[in-house]
Protein backbone atom coordinates (compact mmCIF):
# COMPACT_ATOMS: atom_id res chain seq x y z
CA UNK A 1 0.00 0.00 0.00
CA UNK A 2 2.83 2.39 0.88
CA UNK A 3 4.60 1.66 -2.41
CA UNK A 4 1.34 2.34 -4.30
CA UNK A 5 0.92 5.70 -2.53
CA UNK A 6 4.53 6.61 -3.31
CA UNK A 7 4.03 5.76 -6.99
CA UNK A 8 0.82 7.82 -7.10
CA UNK A 9 2.54 10.75 -5.41
CA UNK A 10 5.37 10.54 -7.94
CA UNK A 11 2.86 10.61 -10.85
CA UNK A 12 1.11 13.64 -9.36
CA UNK A 13 4.44 15.39 -8.90
CA UNK A 14 5.43 14.61 -12.50
CA UNK A 15 2.05 15.91 -13.71
CA UNK A 16 2.45 19.12 -11.72
CA UNK A 17 5.97 19.49 -13.06
CA UNK A 18 4.71 19.11 -16.64
CA UNK A 19 1.92 21.63 -16.05
CA UNK A 20 4.46 23.97 -14.50
CA UNK A 21 6.71 23.73 -17.56
CA UNK A 22 3.79 24.39 -19.89
CA UNK A 23 2.67 27.35 -17.77
CA UNK A 24 6.20 28.71 -17.75
CA UNK A 25 6.43 28.26 -21.53
CA UNK A 26 3.30 30.34 -22.05
CA UNK A 27 5.01 33.25 -20.27
CA UNK A 28 6.90 33.73 -23.53
CA UNK A 29 3.86 33.55 -25.82
CA UNK A 30 3.90 36.72 -27.92
CA UNK A 31 0.44 38.30 -27.69
CA UNK A 32 1.46 41.07 -30.09
CA UNK A 33 1.52 38.36 -32.74
CA UNK A 34 -1.17 35.96 -31.50
CA UNK A 35 -4.03 38.41 -30.88
CA UNK A 36 -3.91 40.04 -34.36
CA UNK A 37 -3.77 36.57 -35.94
CA UNK A 38 -6.87 35.42 -34.04
CA UNK A 39 -8.65 38.68 -34.91
CA UNK A 40 -7.92 38.18 -38.61
CA UNK A 41 -9.16 34.59 -38.45
CA UNK A 42 -12.45 35.62 -36.82
CA UNK A 43 -12.89 38.38 -39.40
CA UNK A 44 -12.13 35.83 -42.12
CA UNK A 45 -14.87 33.51 -40.80
CA UNK A 46 -17.42 36.33 -40.99
CA UNK A 47 -16.39 37.29 -44.51
CA UNK A 48 -16.37 33.68 -45.75
CA UNK A 49 -19.93 33.32 -44.44
CA UNK A 50 -21.26 36.48 -46.07
CA UNK A 51 -19.38 36.01 -49.35
CA UNK A 52 -20.61 32.41 -49.72
CA UNK A 53 -24.34 33.12 -49.57
CA UNK A 54 -24.85 32.67 -53.31
CA UNK A 55 -22.38 29.91 -54.14
CA UNK A 56 -23.60 27.28 -56.60
CA UNK A 57 -22.30 24.44 -54.41
CA UNK A 58 -22.76 24.43 -50.64
CA UNK A 59 -24.51 26.79 -48.25
CA UNK A 60 -23.00 29.76 -46.46
CA UNK A 61 -23.32 27.85 -43.17
CA UNK A 62 -21.35 24.88 -44.53
CA UNK A 63 -18.54 27.16 -45.72
CA UNK A 64 -18.51 28.93 -42.33
CA UNK A 65 -18.39 25.65 -40.38
CA UNK A 66 -15.50 24.32 -42.49
CA UNK A 67 -13.58 27.58 -42.22
CA UNK A 68 -14.13 27.80 -38.45
CA UNK A 69 -13.10 24.16 -37.90
CA UNK A 70 -9.90 24.59 -39.94
CA UNK A 71 -9.25 27.91 -38.22
CA UNK A 72 -9.50 26.20 -34.82
CA UNK A 73 -7.23 23.39 -36.01
CA UNK A 74 -4.78 25.99 -37.29
CA UNK A 75 -4.76 27.71 -33.89
CA UNK A 76 -4.16 24.38 -32.10
CA UNK A 77 -1.27 23.57 -34.47
CA UNK A 78 0.14 27.07 -33.91
CA UNK A 79 0.10 26.73 -30.11
CA UNK A 80 1.39 23.14 -30.25
CA UNK A 81 4.43 24.14 -32.31
CA UNK A 82 4.98 27.07 -29.93
CA UNK A 83 5.10 24.75 -26.90
CA UNK A 84 7.68 22.41 -28.44
CA UNK A 85 11.24 22.68 -27.18
CA UNK A 86 13.04 22.95 -30.51
CA UNK A 87 16.76 23.42 -30.95
CA UNK A 88 16.68 24.82 -34.48
CA UNK A 89 20.42 24.28 -34.88
CA UNK A 90 20.48 20.62 -33.83
CA UNK A 91 21.33 17.91 -36.35
CA UNK A 92 17.96 16.23 -35.76
CA UNK A 93 15.97 19.39 -36.62
CA UNK A 94 18.20 20.14 -39.62
CA UNK A 95 17.68 16.61 -40.96
CA UNK A 96 13.94 16.89 -40.25
CA UNK A 97 13.72 20.13 -42.23
CA UNK A 98 15.63 18.51 -45.10
CA UNK A 99 13.32 15.48 -45.00
CA UNK A 100 10.18 17.64 -45.00
CA UNK A 101 11.48 19.59 -48.00
CA UNK A 102 12.18 16.36 -49.89
CA UNK A 103 8.68 15.04 -49.11
CA UNK A 104 7.14 18.31 -50.31
CA UNK A 105 9.22 18.23 -53.51
CA UNK A 106 7.89 14.75 -54.19
CA UNK A 107 4.36 16.03 -53.47
CA UNK A 108 4.86 18.94 -55.89
CA UNK A 109 6.08 16.52 -58.58
CA UNK A 110 3.07 14.25 -57.97
CA UNK A 111 0.67 17.22 -58.20
CA UNK A 112 2.36 18.32 -61.44
CA UNK A 113 2.16 14.86 -63.03
CA UNK A 114 -1.14 13.55 -61.69
CA UNK A 115 -3.00 16.47 -60.11
CA UNK A 116 -6.30 17.78 -61.42
CA UNK A 117 -6.29 21.04 -63.36
CA UNK A 118 -7.91 23.79 -61.26
CA UNK A 119 -8.15 27.34 -62.64
CA UNK A 120 -5.75 26.50 -65.45
CA UNK A 121 -3.04 24.94 -63.28
CA UNK A 122 -2.10 21.72 -61.53
CA UNK A 123 -1.20 22.09 -57.90
CA UNK A 124 -3.73 20.19 -55.83
CA UNK A 125 -3.63 16.71 -54.33
CA UNK A 126 -7.09 15.51 -53.35
CA UNK A 127 -7.74 13.15 -50.47
CA UNK A 128 -11.45 12.49 -50.82
CA UNK A 129 -13.07 15.92 -50.97
CA UNK A 130 -10.19 17.64 -49.16
CA UNK A 131 -7.59 19.28 -51.38
CA UNK A 132 -3.99 19.96 -50.36
CA UNK A 133 -1.72 22.47 -52.09
CA UNK A 134 1.86 21.32 -51.44
CA UNK A 135 3.21 24.71 -52.50
CA UNK A 136 1.54 26.33 -49.46
CA UNK A 137 3.59 24.12 -47.14
CA UNK A 138 6.73 24.35 -49.27
CA UNK A 139 6.83 28.12 -48.64
CA UNK A 140 7.50 27.74 -44.91
CA UNK A 141 9.69 24.64 -45.33
CA UNK A 142 11.84 26.53 -47.87
CA UNK A 143 12.14 29.46 -45.45
CA UNK A 144 13.45 27.11 -42.74
CA UNK A 145 15.84 25.45 -45.20
CA UNK A 146 17.42 28.61 -46.62
CA UNK A 147 17.57 30.26 -43.18
CA UNK A 148 19.71 27.35 -41.99
CA UNK A 149 21.88 27.17 -45.11
CA UNK A 150 22.63 30.89 -45.36
CA UNK A 151 22.91 31.68 -41.66
CA UNK A 152 26.25 29.85 -41.64
CA UNK A 153 27.81 31.92 -44.45
CA UNK A 154 29.85 35.08 -44.06
CA UNK A 155 29.75 37.82 -46.70
CA UNK A 156 33.04 38.94 -48.17
CA UNK A 157 34.23 42.55 -48.26
CA UNK A 158 32.12 43.24 -51.36
CA UNK A 159 28.97 41.96 -49.71
CA UNK A 160 28.68 38.79 -51.82
CA UNK A 161 28.82 35.30 -50.38
CA UNK A 162 32.29 33.84 -51.06
CA UNK A 163 31.04 30.28 -51.58
CA UNK A 164 27.53 29.08 -52.36
CA UNK A 165 27.41 25.35 -52.83
CA UNK A 166 25.06 23.67 -55.27
CA UNK A 167 23.16 21.96 -52.45
CA UNK A 168 22.30 25.42 -51.07
CA UNK A 169 20.30 26.15 -54.20
CA UNK A 170 19.09 22.72 -55.30
CA UNK A 171 15.96 22.38 -53.13
CA UNK A 172 14.68 25.99 -53.57
CA UNK A 173 15.31 26.00 -57.33
CA UNK A 174 13.82 22.55 -57.91
CA UNK A 175 10.73 23.57 -55.93
CA UNK A 176 10.39 26.79 -57.92
CA UNK A 177 10.81 24.93 -61.21
CA UNK A 178 8.03 22.46 -60.31
CA UNK A 179 5.73 25.31 -59.27
CA UNK A 180 6.51 27.18 -62.50
CA UNK A 181 5.65 24.15 -64.62
CA UNK A 182 2.23 23.69 -62.99
CA UNK A 183 2.06 26.69 -63.86
CA UNK A 184 1.45 28.62 -60.63
CA UNK A 185 2.80 32.09 -61.35
CA UNK A 186 1.61 33.49 -58.01
CA UNK A 187 3.39 30.71 -56.15
CA UNK A 188 6.62 31.11 -58.10
CA UNK A 189 6.70 34.89 -57.49
CA UNK A 190 6.19 34.39 -53.75
CA UNK A 191 8.88 31.70 -53.52
CA UNK A 192 11.36 33.70 -55.59
CA UNK A 193 10.90 36.90 -53.59
CA UNK A 194 11.17 35.04 -50.28
CA UNK A 195 14.39 33.41 -51.48
CA UNK A 196 15.95 36.64 -52.75
CA UNK A 197 14.97 38.82 -49.80
CA UNK A 198 16.22 36.27 -47.23
CA UNK A 199 19.44 36.16 -49.25
CA UNK A 200 19.68 39.94 -49.02
CA UNK A 201 19.02 39.89 -45.27
CA UNK A 202 21.77 37.32 -44.85
CA UNK A 203 24.35 39.90 -45.87
CA UNK A 204 24.28 40.88 -49.53
CA UNK A 205 24.90 44.59 -50.07
CA UNK A 206 22.20 47.22 -50.59
CA UNK A 207 22.91 47.88 -54.26
CA UNK A 208 22.11 44.24 -54.94
CA UNK A 209 18.67 44.83 -53.43
CA UNK A 210 18.23 47.90 -55.63
CA UNK A 211 19.22 45.83 -58.67
CA UNK A 212 16.59 43.24 -57.71
CA UNK A 213 13.92 45.93 -57.37
CA UNK A 214 14.91 47.37 -60.75
CA UNK A 215 14.66 43.92 -62.34
CA UNK A 216 11.18 43.28 -60.89
CA UNK A 217 10.04 46.73 -62.05
CA UNK A 218 11.41 46.10 -65.56
CA UNK A 219 9.48 42.79 -65.80
CA UNK A 220 6.33 44.54 -64.58
CA UNK A 221 6.65 47.27 -67.23
CA UNK A 222 7.50 44.74 -69.97
CA UNK A 223 4.39 42.56 -69.45
CA UNK A 224 2.01 44.53 -71.71
CA UNK A 225 4.59 44.74 -74.51
CA UNK A 226 5.47 41.03 -74.39
CA UNK A 227 1.89 39.74 -74.83
CA UNK A 228 1.99 39.51 -78.67
CA UNK A 229 5.04 37.26 -78.39
CA UNK A 230 3.65 35.18 -75.53
CA UNK A 231 0.39 34.54 -77.39
CA UNK A 232 2.33 32.59 -80.04
CA UNK A 233 3.58 30.08 -77.49
CA UNK A 234 1.81 26.68 -77.49
CA UNK A 235 1.33 26.64 -73.69
CA UNK A 236 0.23 28.79 -70.73
CA UNK A 237 -2.90 29.96 -72.61
CA UNK A 238 -4.93 30.37 -69.42
CA UNK A 239 -2.21 32.45 -67.77
CA UNK A 240 -1.72 34.57 -70.92
CA UNK A 241 -5.46 35.28 -70.95
CA UNK A 242 -5.11 36.57 -67.40
CA UNK A 243 -2.26 38.85 -68.47
CA UNK A 244 -4.46 40.17 -71.29
CA UNK A 245 -7.19 40.89 -68.75
CA UNK A 246 -4.64 42.72 -66.62
CA UNK A 247 -3.64 44.94 -69.58
CA UNK A 248 -7.24 45.71 -70.62
CA UNK A 249 -10.07 43.70 -69.02
CA UNK A 250 -12.71 45.44 -71.14
CA UNK A 251 -11.52 43.81 -74.38
CA UNK A 252 -10.33 40.48 -72.92
CA UNK A 253 -13.72 38.74 -73.10
CA UNK A 254 -14.43 36.19 -70.37
CA UNK A 255 -10.92 36.59 -68.98
CA UNK A 256 -11.64 40.17 -67.99
CA UNK A 257 -15.02 39.40 -66.43
CA UNK A 258 -13.61 38.73 -62.98
CA UNK A 259 -11.53 41.89 -62.77
CA UNK A 260 -14.31 44.13 -64.11
CA UNK A 261 -16.73 42.88 -61.47
CA UNK A 262 -14.05 43.36 -58.83
CA UNK A 263 -13.86 47.01 -59.95
CA UNK A 264 -17.63 47.28 -59.61
CA UNK A 265 -17.58 45.76 -56.12
CA UNK A 266 -14.89 48.10 -54.81
CA UNK A 267 -16.39 51.22 -56.41
CA UNK A 268 -19.87 50.34 -55.13
CA UNK A 269 -18.54 49.99 -51.60
CA UNK A 270 -16.83 53.35 -51.44
CA UNK A 271 -15.39 54.31 -48.07
CA UNK A 272 -17.91 52.65 -45.75
CA UNK A 273 -19.60 49.96 -47.86
CA UNK A 274 -23.23 48.89 -48.25
CA UNK A 275 -23.29 46.88 -45.04
CA UNK A 276 -22.41 43.29 -44.14
CA UNK A 277 -24.31 40.86 -46.38
CA UNK A 278 -25.38 43.48 -48.93
CA UNK A 279 -22.95 42.73 -51.75
CA UNK A 280 -24.40 42.69 -55.26
CA UNK A 281 -21.35 41.25 -57.03
CA UNK A 282 -21.36 38.03 -55.00
CA UNK A 283 -24.80 37.12 -56.40
CA UNK A 284 -23.34 35.46 -59.48
CA UNK A 285 -21.38 38.33 -61.02
CA UNK A 286 -17.99 37.85 -59.35
CA UNK A 287 -16.51 34.33 -59.60
CA UNK A 288 -14.83 32.93 -56.50
CA UNK A 289 -16.06 35.67 -54.15
CA UNK A 290 -15.01 33.70 -51.04
CA UNK A 291 -11.44 32.87 -52.13
CA UNK A 292 -9.22 34.94 -54.44
CA UNK A 293 -11.56 37.95 -54.56
CA UNK A 294 -12.86 38.01 -51.01
CA UNK A 295 -11.30 41.43 -50.42
CA UNK A 296 -13.47 42.84 -53.23
CA UNK A 297 -16.50 41.68 -51.22
CA UNK A 298 -14.97 43.23 -48.09
CA UNK A 299 -14.67 46.50 -50.00
CA UNK A 300 -18.25 46.35 -51.30
CA UNK A 301 -19.87 45.43 -47.99
CA UNK A 302 -17.64 47.16 -45.43
CA UNK A 303 -15.82 49.76 -47.52
CA UNK A 304 -12.25 50.85 -48.13
CA UNK A 305 -11.96 51.86 -44.47
CA UNK A 306 -12.28 48.23 -43.38
CA UNK A 307 -9.70 47.11 -45.94
CA UNK A 308 -7.33 49.70 -44.45
CA UNK A 309 -8.05 48.41 -40.92
CA UNK A 310 -7.29 44.84 -42.03
CA UNK A 311 -4.00 46.03 -43.55
CA UNK A 312 -3.14 47.88 -40.32
CA UNK A 313 -3.68 44.67 -38.33
CA UNK A 314 -1.40 42.84 -40.74
CA UNK A 315 1.11 45.68 -40.41
CA UNK A 316 1.21 44.94 -36.65
CA UNK A 317 1.95 41.27 -37.42
CA UNK A 318 4.65 42.13 -39.97
CA UNK A 319 6.29 44.77 -37.76
CA UNK A 320 6.34 42.38 -34.83
CA UNK A 321 8.08 39.73 -36.91
CA UNK A 322 10.67 42.25 -38.11
CA UNK A 323 11.23 43.79 -34.65
CA UNK A 324 11.75 40.38 -33.04
CA UNK A 325 14.00 39.46 -35.94
CA UNK A 326 16.16 42.48 -35.12
CA UNK A 327 16.35 41.33 -31.49
CA UNK A 328 17.23 37.74 -32.46
CA UNK A 329 20.45 36.37 -31.01
CA UNK A 330 21.23 34.08 -33.94
CA UNK A 331 21.19 34.70 -37.67
CA UNK A 332 19.04 31.62 -38.29
CA UNK A 333 16.28 33.00 -36.03
CA UNK A 334 16.49 36.37 -37.75
CA UNK A 335 16.28 34.94 -41.26
CA UNK A 336 13.27 32.75 -40.44
CA UNK A 337 11.32 35.71 -39.02
CA UNK A 338 12.32 37.95 -41.95
CA UNK A 339 11.33 35.17 -44.36
CA UNK A 340 7.88 34.79 -42.76
CA UNK A 341 7.38 38.58 -42.79
CA UNK A 342 8.30 38.61 -46.49
CA UNK A 343 5.87 35.75 -47.15
CA UNK A 344 2.99 37.68 -45.54
CA UNK A 345 3.81 40.95 -47.32
CA UNK A 346 4.22 39.41 -50.78
CA UNK A 347 1.06 37.29 -50.50
CA UNK A 348 -1.01 40.33 -49.50
CA UNK A 349 0.45 42.51 -52.26
CA UNK A 350 -0.11 39.91 -54.98
CA UNK A 351 -3.70 39.23 -53.89
CA UNK A 352 -4.70 42.87 -53.51
CA UNK A 353 -2.77 43.80 -56.66
CA UNK A 354 -4.89 41.33 -58.62
CA UNK A 355 -8.14 42.48 -56.98
CA UNK A 356 -7.58 46.16 -57.87
CA UNK A 357 -5.95 45.47 -61.26
CA UNK A 358 -2.42 46.76 -60.68
CA UNK A 359 -1.03 43.20 -60.98
CA UNK A 360 -2.13 40.22 -63.09
CA UNK A 361 -4.56 37.81 -61.41
CA UNK A 362 -2.57 34.83 -60.16
CA UNK A 363 -4.99 32.91 -57.94
CA UNK A 364 -3.17 33.85 -54.72
CA UNK A 365 -5.48 33.95 -51.70
CA UNK A 366 -5.59 36.63 -49.02
CA UNK A 367 -3.89 35.32 -45.85
CA UNK A 368 -6.30 33.80 -43.27
CA UNK A 369 -9.32 35.63 -44.75
CA UNK A 370 -9.91 33.72 -47.99
CA UNK A 371 -11.75 30.41 -47.74
CA UNK A 372 -9.50 27.34 -47.70
CA UNK A 373 -8.63 24.68 -45.13
CA UNK A 374 -5.25 23.77 -46.60
CA UNK A 375 -4.21 27.41 -46.64
CA UNK A 376 -5.29 27.97 -43.02
CA UNK A 377 -3.37 24.91 -41.83
CA UNK A 378 -0.22 26.12 -43.61
CA UNK A 379 -0.55 29.53 -41.94
CA UNK A 380 -0.97 27.76 -38.59
CA UNK A 381 2.35 25.97 -39.13
CA UNK A 382 4.01 29.19 -40.33
CA UNK A 383 2.95 31.30 -37.35
CA UNK A 384 3.58 28.40 -34.96
CA UNK A 385 7.21 28.45 -36.08
CA UNK A 386 7.29 32.24 -35.65
CA UNK A 387 5.82 32.05 -32.12
CA UNK A 388 8.28 29.32 -31.17
CA UNK A 389 11.29 31.34 -32.33
CA UNK A 390 10.01 34.56 -30.75
CA UNK A 391 9.48 32.67 -27.48
CA UNK A 392 13.10 31.52 -27.62
CA UNK A 393 14.29 35.08 -28.29
CA UNK A 394 12.30 36.37 -25.28
CA UNK A 395 13.71 33.60 -23.06
CA UNK A 396 17.29 34.25 -24.16
CA UNK A 397 16.83 38.00 -23.65
CA UNK A 398 15.50 37.38 -20.16
CA UNK A 399 18.54 35.23 -19.30
CA UNK A 400 20.89 37.99 -20.51
CA UNK A 401 19.11 40.56 -18.33
CA UNK A 402 19.38 38.29 -15.28
CA UNK A 403 23.12 37.77 -15.90
Amino acid sequence: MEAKMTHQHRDEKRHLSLMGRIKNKFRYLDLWLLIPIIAIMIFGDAMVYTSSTNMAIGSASSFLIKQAVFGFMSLIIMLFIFTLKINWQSKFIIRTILGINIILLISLAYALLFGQVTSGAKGWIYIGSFGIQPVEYFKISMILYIAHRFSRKKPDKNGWFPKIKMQDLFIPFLGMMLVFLMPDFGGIVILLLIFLIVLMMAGVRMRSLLALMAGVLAIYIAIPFSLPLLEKLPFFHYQIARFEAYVNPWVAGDSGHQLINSYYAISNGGLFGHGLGNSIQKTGYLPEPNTDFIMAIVGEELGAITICIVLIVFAVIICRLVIMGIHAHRMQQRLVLYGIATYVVVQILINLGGVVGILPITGVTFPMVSYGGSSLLSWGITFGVALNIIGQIKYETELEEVD
Side-chain angles (χ1 to χ4, degrees):
M1 177 65 75
E2 185 177 347
K4 185 177 179 181
M5 291 295 291
T6 303
H7 182 71
Q8 183 179 356
H9 178 71
R10 192 176 299 152
D11 286 344
E12 289 176 357
K13 187 175 180 181
R14 189 182 297 114
H15 177 71
L16 290 173
S17 177
L18 175 63
M19 293 303 295
R21 288 199 299 270
I22 293 174
K23 184 178 179 181
N24 184 62
K25 179 73 176 180
F26 272 85
R27 288 176 51 223
Y28 304 101
L29 180 61
D30 194 77
L31 297 181
W32 280 101
L33 192 60
L34 182 64
I35 291 175
I37 290 170
I38 294 174
I40 291 292
M41 284 184 173
I42 294 171
F43 175 76
D45 288 344
M47 291 313 305
V48 164
Y49 177 75
T50 183
S51 62
S52 303
T53 51
N54 287 275
M55 298 293 289
I57 301 174
S59 64
S61 297
S62 67
F63 280 103
L64 171 62
I65 291 169
K66 290 177 184 176
Q67 187 78 349
V69 167
F70 279 108
F72 181 73
M73 290 171 61
S74 175
L75 182 61
I76 295 300
I77 290 170
M78 201 183 306
L79 294 176
F80 175 73
I81 294 174
F82 162 73
T83 58
L84 294 177
K85 189 175 181 180
I86 302 175
N87 179 2
W88 292 100
Q89 295 177 309
S90 70
K91 289 184 178 180
F92 172 76
I93 294 299
I94 291 166
R95 288 170 183 167
T96 301
I97 291 171
L98 178 61
I100 291 171
N101 275 277
I102 291 172
I103 291 170
L104 287 171
L105 287 175
I106 294 170
S107 300
L108 287 169
Y110 179 86
L112 174 62
L113 295 173
F114 306 108
Q116 298 179 21
V117 177
T118 304
S119 298
K122 293 181 178 182
W124 291 84
I125 298 174
Y126 287 93
I127 304 172
S129 60
F130 179 65
I132 298 175
Q133 269 188 302
V135 66
E136 296 297 325
Y137 301 91
F138 183 68
K139 292 169 186 174
I140 179 59
S141 71
M142 189 190 77
I143 289 171
L144 293 174
Y145 178 81
I146 59 178
H148 163 67
R149 301 297 301 191
F150 291 108
S151 65
R152 300 180 302 167
K153 298 182 181 296
K154 303 292 184 182
D156 63 9
K157 62 181 181 180
N158 295 318
W160 295 100
F161 291 123
K163 292 181 181 179
I164 298 181
K165 298 179 181 178
M166 193 63 194
Q167 54 262 39
D168 296 331
L169 307 176
F170 179 74
I171 284 180
F173 280 14
L174 180 56
M176 285 185 244
M177 180 60 66
L178 291 170
V179 173
F180 176 77
L181 292 174
M182 286 178 178
D184 180 355
F185 289 158
I188 187 66
V189 169
I190 292 171
L191 290 171
L192 182 60
L193 288 178
I194 289 172
F195 178 79
L196 291 174
I197 290 175
V198 171
L199 192 65
M200 300 294 175
M201 295 301 105
V204 177
R205 54 188 174 181
M206 181 57 67
R207 69 180 185 183
S208 304
L209 180 60
L210 295 176
L212 169 64
M213 293 172 62
V216 172
L217 183 61
I219 293 172
Y220 177 75
I221 295 172
I223 288 174
F225 303 100
S226 62
L227 282 178
L229 177 62
L230 294 175
E231 288 171 348
K232 297 177 181 179
L233 297 176
F235 44 81
F236 297 161
H237 295 297
Y238 184 86
Q239 285 68 29
I240 292 171
R242 283 186 160 183
F243 278 108
E244 290 174 343
Y246 154 69
V247 174
N248 189 347
W250 309 98
V251 297
D254 291 340
S255 302
H257 176 74
Q258 198 169 24
L259 183 54
I260 290 170
N261 283 284
S262 178
Y263 288 157
Y264 287 151
I266 294 171
S267 63
N268 287 341
L271 278 177
F272 302 103
H274 287 297
L276 193 64
N278 294 326
S279 167
I280 297 171
Q281 297 305 310
K282 70 182 179 184
T283 60
Y285 297 100
L286 182 63
E288 303 181 59
N290 61 355
T291 55
D292 303 357
F293 279 78
I294 196 167
M295 293 307 289
I297 305 301
V298 173
E300 187 177 13
E301 294 190 351
L302 301 177
I305 293 293
T306 301
I307 294 178
C308 290
I309 292 172
V310 171
L311 293 179
I312 289 171
V313 175
F314 269 106
V316 173
I317 294 172
I318 294 160
C319 288
R320 189 60 179 172
L321 291 168
V322 173
I323 289 169
M324 294 309 297
I326 293 170
H327 287 92
H329 297 79
R330 289 184 289 275
M331 178 61 80
Q332 186 178 7
Q333 295 174 325
R334 183 174 297 120
L335 294 182
V336 171
L337 294 181
Y338 287 167
I340 293 172
T342 302
Y343 176 16
V344 177
V345 170
V346 174
Q347 183 118 352
I348 289 173
L349 290 178
I350 291 177
N351 176 269
L352 281 184
V355 168
V356 301
I358 61 173
L359 291 173
I361 299 169
T362 56
V364 169
T365 57
F366 195 89
M368 297 182 289
V369 177
S370 295
Y371 173 75
S374 180
S375 177
L376 273 175
L377 293 179
S378 72
W379 283 113
I381 294 169
T382 300
F383 286 120
V385 169
L387 287 169
N388 185 283
I389 290 175
I390 289 174
Q392 289 185 12
I393 294 170
K394 286 184 171 184
Y395 174 72
E396 291 164 1
T397 302
E398 187 179 87
L399 286 181
E400 283 186 353
E401 291 174 353
V402 170
D403 293 341

